[in-house]
DNA sequence: CGAATGACTCCTT
DNA sequence: CAAGGAGCCATTC
């Protein structure tokens, strides 16, 4: 199941982001946004899963401060071209749409 | 099986 | 915009 979520997260294109709810929905788990966070938490350190492209519906980083994860995620996103406006990401522009790549 | 928890989301005030 | 409450699903004890 986690693999299911990781798979969806893995196909998120760079420079774009998706919300937990969106990932859950595309993973076939509508309403399981929490499951996404849970799965990402179980995500191995050596995984190639761009978990940093997953954020909450507020366009903000949900990672708990103290683990430094919030910092890493922001750094990675900015490195991919994602901008933090007012401390958050404008989902209106960066929200990932499956199949909308081309 | 029952109760508690969590990288969540939506609605109302 | 900020804060509070309820719903959601799976994992863990």
């Amino acid at each position: 199941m986690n693999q299911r979520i990781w798979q969806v997260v893995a196909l998120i294109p760079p420079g774009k982001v998706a919300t937990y709810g969106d990932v859950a929905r595309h993973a076939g788990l509508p309403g399981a946004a929490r499951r996404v966070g849970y799965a990402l938490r179980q995500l191995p350190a050596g995984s190639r899963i761009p978990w940093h492209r997953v954020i909450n519906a507020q366009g903000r980083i949900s990672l708990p401060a103290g683990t430094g994860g919030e910092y890493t995620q922001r750094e990675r996103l900015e490195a991919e071209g994602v901008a933090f406006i007012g401390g958050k990401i404008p989902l209106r522009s960066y929200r990932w749409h499956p199949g909308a790549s081309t």
Side-chain angles (χ1 to χ4, degrees):
Chain A
M1 16 320 244
N2 291 7
Q3 183 124 58
R4 183 51 140 245
I5 295 168
W6 300 344
Q7 184 175 315
V8 176
V9 176
L11 50 84
I12 299 175
K16 289 244 180 177
V17 297
T19 69
Y20 295 95
D22 278 2
V23 174
R25 188 180 316 240
H26 300 315
L29 308 168
R34 307 179 76 145
R35 225 62 7 261
V36 178
Y38 204 93
L40 292 180
R41 191 178 69 153
Q42 286 295 293
L43 199 62
S47 56
R48 282 94 52 48
I49 308 299
W51 56 271
H52 56 266
R53 290 185 197 146
V54 184
I55 57 179
N56 60 23
Q58 298 176 62
R60 303 233 267 163
I61 296 174
S62 267
L63 268 76
T67 60
E70 39 149 353
Y71 184 75
T72 304
Q73 180 163 25
R74 176 168 178 164
E75 287 290 297
R76 285 199 175 199
L77 287 173
E78 289 187 313
E80 293 189 349
V82 178
F84 278 70
I85 309 300
K88 58 187 215 181
I89 301 169
L91 292 175
R92 307 225 270 188
S93 304
Y94 290 104
R95 190 96 98 134
W96 169 56
H97 296 266
S101 305
T102 54

